[in-house]
Amino acid sequence: MSNSIDNGSEKMAAGPPVLSVAEMAKLDTVPWYKKKNLRMLYLIIFPTCIGVEMTSGFDSSMMNGLQAVDSWDAFYHSPRSVLLGLMSAMYSAGAIVALPFVPLVTDGLGRRRAIFLGSVIMIIGAIIQTAAQNFAMFVIARFILGLGIPFAIVAASSLLGELGHPKERAYLGSLFNSCYFIGSIIAAGVTLGTFKMPSNWGWRIPSLLQALPSGLQIAFVFFLPESPRWLISRGRGDEAMAILVKYHAEGDVNSELAKAEYVQIETTLALEKETAKVGWTDLLKTAGMRRRLLIGAFVGLVTQWSGNGLTAYLLPQILKTIGITDNHTKNLINLALTLWNFVNATYLALTVSRYKRRTMYLACTFSLLVVFTGWTIASARYAIDHSQGASRAVIAFIFLYSPCYNLAFNALTYTFLVELFPFHVRAKGISIFQVFSRAAGFFNQFVNPIGVANAGWKYYISYCIFLLFEVIFVYFLFPETSGKSLEELAFLYEGDEIKEQQKRVEKEIRDVEHRDDVSNEKQG
């Protein structure tokens, strides 16, 4: 009898169970568009963070379109194979060179300043590209554009996850990549409108407009609040709390969600500092970090080596291999494909994040394997008998490929990466992803023109083999990260640390509640 009384007393003393931030967020049923402050935050986030990927989308679609612009083709003496590959690949080469410095700026100066710096560099590159007088100047401009893009991408993707409300965080991360296709649509539309211009402005106008997304980021980025997590890590807790209260609680200083978020962020950062010296070697020092690094590197490779590089930078040459040689038709297909990409990518970005991450990655890789195999077979049939049916089948598979790729590699990539890496290595983790992505992109952009020119449809077989490997890797090594806050995922592979974090968070929240109760009693 006495034992049961003692147990009951202990439970009473412990208080009611503390809800996690993710659970608290689910209790909030008011949609974001009915919240004045949060609505304003998301409106500013669109051009400054989500819109960053418009630059990459513009670049790939522009390079596709320029190959069907007569004035560009004549000015650069019909670049093909190695020269065309070099032109495309220099964008990724610039990014690779910049990436070691990206975490230093993103973690040292803050997310907003990193976006600003990257945008300034890209505007300089776009101006030089527009004014290019020869092949070398055009290539250097593309290298400078590449230098700027990783600063903006790493900082913006981190800021989306760290600033967004817990309910919408996954959606924001998913929309980040779908904006790639807004840039693609603009570039495809512009090159369709300029490809008949007899002067060099037929290609200089698209080059100049590549600066537009970066201009938007420069104009609006300092209207955006800084990451609360970054502020707390710099000892600026009052500013961080003010941001959480304003945007996640609509100004309610007594909000339990804002208090719980602050406590969870502060506690997790303190625990991370206890368990890690924040350096590059931290990514290799524990089994959990090594697994994160392996998965981040893999995601970087597969976002480029799943066949998407063929349509992203080489669509006119792919169409030529199936008998489509008219420039107007090539530009129309490029525009249609980018429009279709945007529609399905946006729809998937708004829906896929509701489901389990690992399941979506499995569905993505398996469907890509099936579709790309069909694409390869249809291309082989056309090479044998030049039938119109096989040509149309290739086009159909290219359009089918789009939603299969966007299902996870577009809709979930940055959402998943932000969830995978804890705060103290997040910028470094996403930078590692970018290193492998850009290196794979450089390889693709340089090698694909040579491979397609020399091997034709047989070159596609290598992608089929790699896609099979992707399915196996995802099945055995991908973790599940959905349904939890970033702080709850900070120790995804570290069981002891997450238990300690949960205990500290619960204690801190109870202490906060106790102080509030005492304060209210005194005021009463």
Side-chain angles (χ1 to χ4, degrees):
M1 184 70 175
S2 61
N3 286 342
S4 64
I5 291 173
D6 291 342
N7 290 340
S9 299
E10 288 175 8
K11 289 179 181 178
M12 289 285 288
V18 176
L19 294 175
S20 70
V21 168
E23 290 168 333
M24 286 184 180
K26 289 177 182 177
L27 296 176
D28 181 2
T29 57
V30 180
W32 66 269
Y33 51 83
K34 291 186 178 180
K35 299 176 180 179
K36 180 182 175 182
N37 293 342
L38 193 60
R39 183 172 65 240
M40 181 57 66
L41 174 66
Y42 290 165
L43 286 175
I44 299 173
I45 274 178
F46 182 80
T48 53
C49 291
I50 296 178
V52 163
E53 273 289 353
M54 287 192 291
T55 304
S56 292
F58 192 102
D59 185 80
S60 65
S61 187
M62 182 193 73
M63 287 304 296
N64 263 334
L66 290 182
Q67 292 171 55
V69 174
D70 290 333
S71 60
W72 182 87
D73 200 53
F75 189 85
Y76 291 106
H77 309 293
S78 301
R80 297 292 183 268
S81 191
V82 175
L83 292 181
L84 180 59
L86 185 62
M87 280 181 153
S88 298
M90 289 308 288
Y91 186 75
S92 293
I96 293 169
V97 171
L99 280 165
F101 307 100
V102 170
L104 299 176
V105 175
T106 306
D107 290 337
L109 300 180
R111 306 333 193 187
R112 295 187 304 171
R113 289 192 180 102
I115 294 172
F116 180 82
L117 175 63
S119 300
V120 169
I121 294 172
M122 285 186 283
I123 286 178
I124 293 170
I127 291 171
I128 296 173
Q129 183 175 265
T130 304
Q133 299 299 308
N134 49 49
F135 177 86
M137 193 171 175
F138 189 86
V139 167
I140 290 170
R142 293 189 52 70
F143 180 84
I144 294 172
L145 279 162
L147 283 175
I149 191 65
F151 288 98
I153 285 180
V154 172
S157 59
S158 298
L159 192 54
L160 281 175
E162 295 167 4
L163 192 58
H165 191 284
K167 277 205 312 181
E168 287 90 35
R169 176 177 53 78
Y171 295 105
L172 294 173
S174 297
L175 285 169
F176 181 70
N177 258 349
S178 70
C179 277
Y180 177 98
F181 300 110
I182 295 178
S184 295
I185 291 168
I186 296 171
V190 170
T191 52
L192 178 62
T194 65
F195 85 100
K196 285 187 177 180
M197 291 177 66
S199 72
N200 287 327
W201 283 107
W203 62 268
R204 292 191 193 277
I205 289 173
S207 294
L208 181 61
L209 290 177
Q210 191 163 1
L212 182 60
S214 299
L216 288 173
Q217 284 134 39
I218 289 173
F220 291 102
V221 72
F222 289 110
F223 291 99
L224 190 69
E226 184 54 87
S227 161
R229 289 165 177 81
W230 185 81
L231 289 171
I232 292 172
S233 74
R234 294 287 159 169
R236 295 160 63 181
D238 290 343
E239 295 175 57
M241 187 63 185
I243 290 170
L244 293 171
V245 167
K246 180 177 180 179
Y247 294 107
H248 292 189
E250 290 299 299
D252 180 8
V253 294
N254 296 314
S255 166
E256 294 300 322
L257 174 63
K259 292 175 185 176
E261 281 189 282
Y262 183 91
V263 168
Q264 194 176 60
I265 293 168
E266 187 177 49
T267 307
T268 302
L269 290 178
L271 198 58
E272 287 179 19
K273 286 180 180 178
E274 290 176 14
T275 58
K277 292 181 180 179
V278 184
W280 284 102
T281 56
D282 191 43
L283 290 170
L284 296 170
K285 66 189 298 184
T286 67
M289 281 298 177
R290 288 192 293 272
R291 186 166 177 179
R292 289 183 178 94
L293 179 62
L294 176 64
I295 293 170
F298 171 82
V299 174
L301 290 177
V302 299
T303 53
Q304 297 296 326
W305 279 358
S306 297
N308 53 308
L310 295 173
T311 55
Y313 282 92
L314 209 62
L315 184 61
Q317 306 308 315
I318 298 298
L319 295 176
K320 187 177 179 181
T321 65
I322 54 172
I324 299 173
T325 57
D326 176 64
N327 281 347
H328 181 69
T329 304
K330 290 178 183 177
N331 272 307
L332 277 177
I333 293 174
N334 185 33
L335 178 58
L337 184 60
T338 52
L339 285 167
W340 168 234
N341 267 316
F342 175 69
V343 169
N344 72 70
T346 303
Y347 173 77
L348 290 168
L350 294 172
T351 55
V352 166
S353 55
R354 302 174 189 172
Y355 305 103
K356 291 184 176 181
R357 311 287 190 252
R358 183 174 174 276
T359 302
M360 291 298 99
Y361 272 104
L362 278 172
C364 171
T365 52
F366 183 76
S367 61
L368 281 175
L369 175 61
V370 172
V371 169
F372 207 88
T373 301
W375 178 351
T376 303
I377 293 170
S379 298
R381 289 305 309 168
Y382 182 83
I384 293 169
D385 56 22
H386 295 281
S387 70
Q388 288 302 305
S391 177
R392 294 191 189 97
V394 171
I395 295 173
F397 279 120
I398 289 174
F399 276 79
L400 280 173
Y401 175 93
S402 169
C404 296
Y405 179 90
N406 292 336
L407 181 63
F409 291 154
N410 186 277
L412 290 178
T413 293
Y414 286 99
T415 299
F416 181 67
L417 289 170
V418 169
E419 293 171 345
L420 183 67
F421 290 100
F423 175 83
H424 74 287
V425 293
R426 186 165 294 141
K428 292 180 175 65
I430 297 176
S431 295
I432 291 294
F433 156 80
Q434 282 281 315
V435 166
F436 281 85
S437 177
R438 298 298 175 179
F442 178 87
F443 179 86
N444 270 355
Q445 292 154 16
F446 188 75
V447 173
N448 279 346
I450 301 170
V452 171
N454 294 336
W457 68 268
K458 295 177 183 178
Y459 180 65
Y460 304 159
I461 296 174
S462 61
Y463 283 109
C464 294
I465 295 170
F466 192 75
L467 284 165
L468 177 61
F469 166 72
E470 289 179 18
V471 175
I472 297 169
F473 188 101
V474 170
Y475 182 82
F476 285 105
L477 290 176
F478 264 43
E480 185 52 64
T481 60
S482 61
K484 296 180 180 179
S485 71
L486 294 183
E487 279 62 48
E488 290 169 315
L489 289 165
F491 301 104
L492 180 65
Y493 296 116
E494 294 85 4
D496 293 337
E497 284 88 346
I498 195 168
K499 289 176 184 176
E500 178 64 23
Q501 187 244 22
Q502 287 170 344
K503 289 178 183 176
R504 289 193 186 188
V505 169
E506 289 180 9
K507 182 179 181 300
E508 289 286 345
I509 292 175
R510 291 191 203 288
D511 289 346
V512 170
E513 290 174 347
H514 177 68
R515 287 195 297 270
D516 288 346
D517 290 341
V518 171
S519 177
N520 291 336
E521 287 175 7
K522 287 181 179 179
Q523 290 175 5

